[in-house]
Amino acid sequence: MSGWLLKKKRKKMQGWAKRWFQLSPSGVLSYSTSPNSVTRGSIQIMLATISSNPDQRLIHIDSGTMLYHLKTLTTDDHDKWTAAFRAYRSGGNIEIQTDLPTAASMMEDFNSPNQQDNVEKGVKSATALRNSVIRLGDNIVVLRALLDQLSHVPQVKDLSQKISALNQQLEKDQKAIQINAEDQQKRWTAFRNGTPGGASTVSLVLPNDSEYGLDGSNRESIHRTMSARSSVSEQFFDAEDIILSGGDDDDSFGGEEEMEVNNEDSSDDDDEPEVNGNDENGTLDLSIAGDCVRRNRLPSHAVGDVGSALSVFRKNVGKDLSTISMPISMNEPLNMLQRACEDLEYCQVLDKAATLSDSMERLMHVAIFAVSSFASTQYRTGRKPFNPMMNETYENIRPDKGFRFIAEKVSHNPLIIAAHAEAKAYKYWQCTKIKSKFWGKSMEFMTEGVYNVTLTGHEDHYTYNKPSSWMRNMIAGEKYLETAGEMQITNHTTGEYATVVFKEGTGGGLFGVPSNRNDVIATFYDSKGKKCRRIVGKWSDKLSEEIDMNKRKLSVLWNANPPGIEDYTKYYGFTRYCVELNEITDLERDKLPVTDTRYRPDQRLYENGLADEADEEKQRIEQKQRDRRKEFEQKGVVWKPRWFTLEDDKYSDPLFIPPAEGQEPHNTGQSFQYTGHYWQVRETGQWPNDIFELW
């Protein structure tokens, strides 16, 4: 089905935009400015909540993370669209009822002791069912991993025994699910049979009457129908249709006299669908996504002999190691894209910055956040992260920290990654070149490019760079990592800036660890260049402000977290936050694109302690990338990133993106910027068909 609908714009007082909508056979409702134009957005209606108001011809579609407010042009159109939604979601088996019980009568019966007892038992049984399903899913993931290892590990007999034991556990879980499911059916059937009028389409959990304007004399009929299609289990009670009567809808959607319609094919705010969890000011709130249980250690302790890679280093002194295929023993089981997300471990500092009214104090907290990104590196053991493949991506949704993050490899040579994170209080993005060089005794890790931060409720735009980090005593002595150099953080709106000096360590002898290291001094200047504040401390421990620039009066502003896991030195020196980065949780399971780092087999095998098998996979994947690049060159195909695009950037160095061969250098800087499409596509579950296989 297709036709014209009015779509409410995201911001208040902007009115409505006339858009062409189309409902596909797969249940994706998409829209564009005209029937033949490019799709601007889409939403999956299969498990969405669809509420409608026939009197005002309104339809609201809430998928849990995305929200569309629609209005039909005529009453007939409203009837056709709502009927189409019901027909699809019910598989054509649910009839539209007209003789419905009132909300008051349903609530009266719902409050009876017997029904409440049934509901309570049903809820407990549903919880047990959910836990069984989670265990089953986890075991299936392990089973898949074991099956993957069969093609690499000669000890097939041992693996077969493990798989046999796992199958027995899966059978037990299956029986538990079946028992709970049967109990679910009995409990909910008992409730249904006790409902006035035998209305089996009434939802088991009703909202407060006042939520839909049903209090007092305004209580009117409310009709809810299960939205599960025949192919979906009837246990999905969270997706339902709601029909609101009369004045149930919010006044902000107004009547005909208040409606302003925009028919232009312009790129306006409605082209970015409202994300559920965004408040009325458009800021992000991920609390609706819930949270999950995260692991507290890696599946295996560190494997591989770093010393065996030194011979490769000696042959490549002074060269960029990111362009050289290295033995896997030199790696840690994290990817460069994941390392970019590691910078957000102390994102609460930005949350605090957004609450401050003084611009200098905001600058101080942004500077602290920039310095905090080095904190977890103090425990590292001298290994480098995996290089990402072409179009490899990594997402991270952290409701507990309030941000969502997406990164992608956007250039192969030079190696450039781009990342974008958004939260309720801030936005953060980067476009950086990653390099590492061996200098004979030390390895240098360099990051070139600009980091950007904006704060919600303020006009500030901050940028900063990062100094190099060094792994010392690579050949002999006790290895340690230190950061040395200078960082500048600038508020381009106010002109205020800070200079942060990372000092080299002193003392400790020729092959020992310096007795005094990791010192940081941050000096802050107003827009006229006058020195006005100072922060001192260690990036590995804590940072304090010198009150009135007095070195004897300190106020602690930030403390580094401990590793958070036992025996962290045996697990690559990872912190608890690092351990969680490569995990597939309930937030990601069955929702990631095939390009996500978590699906990368060599890194997963390495994380599981299978170094030899991981090395074979690494060589295979790298060769596959070389073959694809050669194929592209022969066909004249230009490789482009999927979720980021190259744009002018006045804060970037003109030489950061080198000009193509035979072209003049750029007059202005350029960087890869987030297109804003990843989370929209993820919501629909319809990943592009032309995503090529990386692994």
Side-chain angles (χ1 to χ4, degrees):
M1 180 173 177
S2 59
W4 292 104
L5 293 172
L6 301 179
K7 181 177 181 298
K8 195 174 191 307
K9 296 185 178 182
R10 291 183 61 186
K11 298 180 180 179
K12 287 188 174 183
M13 309 305 292
Q14 284 193 338
W16 303 74
K18 189 176 180 180
R19 294 292 181 256
W20 181 263
F21 279 80
Q22 183 169 351
L23 179 62
S24 73
S26 61
V28 176
L29 180 66
S30 59
Y31 73 92
S32 55
T33 56
S34 64
N36 298 321
S37 62
V38 178
T39 299
R40 295 292 185 89
S42 57
I43 191 170
Q44 172 60 254
I45 70 167
M46 183 59 185
L47 292 177
T49 298
I50 301 179
S51 57
S52 66
N53 187 320
D55 293 342
Q56 297 183 13
R57 308 195 310 276
L58 295 173
I59 301 174
H60 312 295
I61 305 177
D62 183 355
S63 71
T65 58
M66 196 174 294
L67 183 62
Y68 282 2
H69 300 295
L70 308 177
K71 188 180 183 74
T72 61
L73 301 180
T74 66
T75 301
D76 288 342
D77 285 347
H78 183 275
D79 295 340
K80 291 178 181 178
W81 278 103
T82 53
F85 292 147
R86 289 198 198 103
Y88 171 80
R89 288 151 59 92
S90 66
N93 296 324
I94 295 181
E95 297 181 358
I96 301 176
Q97 299 186 7
T98 55
D99 185 14
L100 302 173
T102 64
S105 65
M106 288 192 294
M107 289 299 294
E108 181 179 355
D109 187 75
F110 178 77
N111 289 326
S112 66
N114 291 336
Q115 297 295 10
Q116 288 182 352
D117 182 60
N118 276 333
V119 170
E120 182 64 27
K121 292 179 180 178
V123 170
K124 291 181 179 179
S125 182
T127 302
L129 177 62
R130 178 180 180 275
N131 293 335
S132 297
V133 172
I134 291 174
R135 287 197 303 272
L136 181 62
D138 291 340
N139 285 330
I140 290 175
V141 171
V142 176
L143 179 61
R144 289 175 181 170
L146 291 174
L147 291 175
D148 289 340
Q149 296 173 25
L150 282 174
S151 60
H152 302 285
V153 183
Q155 292 84 1
V156 177
K157 183 178 180 180
D158 294 338
L159 280 175
S160 298
Q161 293 176 353
K162 294 180 181 179
I163 292 175
S164 176
L166 185 60
N167 277 331
Q168 294 178 5
Q169 181 61 43
L170 290 176
E171 291 176 358
K172 292 180 181 179
D173 288 342
Q174 183 181 16
K175 292 180 180 179
I177 290 174
Q178 183 176 356
I179 293 173
N180 283 315
E182 292 174 353
D183 185 63
Q184 284 276 296
Q185 185 179 16
K186 293 178 182 178
R187 299 294 181 188
W188 296 124
T189 299
F191 179 87
R192 179 193 62 189
N193 293 337
T195 302
S200 62
T201 58
V202 177
S203 171
L204 300 180
V205 181
L206 294 175
N208 295 329
D209 283 347
S210 59
E211 182 177 349
Y212 293 107
L214 298 175
D215 54 318
S217 59
N218 291 327
R219 295 188 181 183
E220 301 182 25
S221 65
I222 178 169
H223 173 212
R224 293 171 171 242
T225 61
M226 292 301 300
S227 67
R229 199 183 175 113
S230 58
S231 61
V232 179
S233 168
E234 291 186 0
Q235 304 302 327
F236 286 100
F237 294 107
D238 59 330
E240 53 198 0
D241 297 338
I242 306 171
I243 295 181
L244 304 174
S245 302
D248 293 339
D249 222 322
D250 193 296
D251 292 337
S252 64
F253 295 99
E256 291 292 339
E257 66 279 6
E258 300 178 11
M259 187 172 62
E260 178 182 348
V261 179
N262 183 354
N263 296 317
E264 297 180 1
D265 294 346
S266 59
S267 177
D268 46 29
D269 285 339
D270 83 289
D271 297 331
E272 297 181 8
E274 180 175 345
V275 178
N276 196 5
N278 287 24
D279 64 19
E280 63 180 12
N281 296 318
T283 55
L284 183 67
D285 183 2
L286 292 177
S287 60
I288 191 172
D291 206 353
C292 56
V293 178
R294 299 182 185 272
R295 65 186 184 184
N296 57 15
R297 68 169 53 208
L298 295 176
S300 170
H301 58 74
V303 294
D305 182 11
V306 178
S308 64
L310 291 178
S311 60
V312 180
F313 290 163
R314 292 191 180 99
K315 297 177 182 178
N316 296 280
V317 173
K319 295 181 180 180
D320 182 5
L321 299 181
S322 64
T323 63
I324 301 171
S325 180
M326 303 293 295
I328 202 166
S329 60
M330 193 55 215
N331 288 100
E332 61 184 14
L334 275 186
N335 189 284
M336 287 184 179
L337 302 177
Q338 294 168 320
R339 285 289 293 271
C341 187
E342 191 176 348
D343 287 358
L344 291 167
E345 179 172 1
Y346 296 93
C347 59
Q348 69 273 12
V349 179
L350 293 181
D351 293 329
K352 176 61 181 295
T355 66
L356 302 173
S357 59
D358 183 79
S359 62
M360 182 58 69
E361 291 186 356
R362 294 197 299 271
L363 175 62
M364 292 170 63
H365 279 76
V366 172
I368 291 172
F369 167 76
V371 173
S372 72
S373 65
F374 295 96
S376 64
T377 65
Q378 64 180 299
Y379 308 112
R380 291 298 209 271
T381 57
R383 307 190 188 219
K384 62 186 290 292
F386 280 76
N387 285 353
M389 298 290 110
M390 297 168 58
N391 286 115
E392 185 172 343
T393 61
Y394 175 72
E395 74 162 55
N396 199 342
I397 302 175
R398 293 298 298 246
D400 57 328
K401 291 181 175 292
F403 73 78
R404 62 184 182 187
F405 171 94
I406 175 63
E408 181 181 15
K409 176 180 176 179
V410 295
S411 173
H412 181 72
N413 189 15
L415 174 57
I416 301 177
I417 66 170
H420 182 274
E422 54 188 4
K424 191 172 184 179
Y426 62 87
K427 287 186 178 180
Y428 162 89
W429 66 98
Q430 61 165 286
C431 180
T432 51
K433 293 180 186 177
I434 310 296
K435 296 181 180 180
S436 56
K437 292 184 179 181
F438 180 66
W439 296 108
K441 294 182 180 180
S442 301
M443 180 180 291
E444 182 181 8
F445 301 97
M446 296 165 285
T447 303
E448 300 177 9
V450 178
Y451 296 77
N452 298 262
V453 173
T454 59
L455 301 176
T456 303
H458 306 282
E459 300 297 327
D460 304 335
H461 185 144
Y462 304 90
T463 63
Y464 60 91
N465 61 297
K466 279 190 176 183
S468 294
S469 295
W470 305 75
M471 182 58 65
R472 307 291 193 186
N473 294 340
M474 291 290 294
I475 303 298
E478 183 179 353
K479 290 193 294 292
Y480 66 96
L481 188 140
E482 75 170 354
T483 299
E486 187 175 292
M487 170 193 290
Q488 179 158 310
I489 303 99
T490 303
N491 184 341
H492 295 277
T493 302
T494 64
E496 299 164 328
Y497 65 96
T499 299
V500 184
V501 177
F502 293 76
K503 292 188 173 183
E504 289 192 38
T506 58
L510 183 60
F511 296 107
V513 177
S515 56
N516 184 29
R517 62 192 179 103
N518 302 342
D519 287 341
V520 171
I521 298 179
T523 307
F524 296 83
Y525 302 84
D526 63 19
S527 59
K528 297 180 180 180
K530 181 181 178 181
K531 187 186 303 183
C532 56
R533 308 283 278 270
R534 186 162 55 228
I535 289 177
V536 297
K538 295 180 182 292
W539 56 261
S540 57
D541 183 19
K542 61 184 176 183
L543 298 174
S544 304
E545 180 189 3
E546 294 180 351
I547 304 300
D548 298 326
M549 306 286 282
N550 187 337
K551 296 181 180 180
R552 296 184 178 182
K553 295 182 180 180
L554 300 177
S555 174
V556 177
L557 299 178
W558 170 81
N559 285 284
N561 296 328
I565 61 175
E566 296 180 3
D567 301 326
Y568 63 89
T569 56
K570 297 180 180 179
Y571 295 90
Y572 306 94
F574 282 4
T575 64
R576 173 69 181 270
Y577 180 73
C578 297
V579 165
E580 298 168 351
L581 291 176
N582 198 45
E583 181 184 15
I584 298 179
T585 71
D586 292 340
L587 296 177
E588 296 90 23
R589 187 170 290 113
D590 300 325
K591 298 177 182 178
L592 299 173
V594 294
T595 55
D596 194 273
T597 296
R598 295 178 181 87
Y599 290 145
R600 181 167 174 166
D602 55 345
Q603 184 175 325
R604 183 64 65 185
L605 287 169
Y606 194 57
E607 182 186 80
N608 289 334
L610 302 173
D612 293 338
E613 294 80 0
D615 199 23
E616 293 179 7
E617 276 295 279
K618 181 173 179 287
Q619 294 178 33
R620 181 187 66 81
I621 292 172
E622 290 174 347
Q623 184 59 46
K624 187 172 185 176
Q625 177 177 244
R626 285 189 287 268
D627 293 342
R628 179 173 287 110
R629 292 182 61 228
K630 184 177 180 180
E631 178 185 352
F632 280 14
E633 291 175 359
Q634 292 175 346
K635 295 181 179 180
V637 177
V638 178
W639 169 58
K640 294 182 179 179
R642 171 73 60 178
W643 310 110
F644 293 80
T645 183
L646 189 61
E647 297 180 3
D648 289 341
D649 184 352
K650 63 181 179 180
Y651 302 120
S652 182
D653 189 323
L655 297 179
F656 177 75
I657 302 293
E661 186 176 352
Q663 293 185 357
E664 295 293 328
H666 306 295
N667 293 326
T668 59
Q670 291 183 311
S671 66
F672 287 91
Q673 303 289 321
Y674 176 53
T675 62
H677 297 153
Y678 179 86
W679 300 110
Q680 298 178 27
V681 176
R682 186 190 193 274
E683 172 64 27
T684 67
Q686 304 292 322
W687 297 106
N689 295 326
D690 58 345
I691 291 182
F692 47 77
E693 184 180 351
L694 300 182
W695 330 120

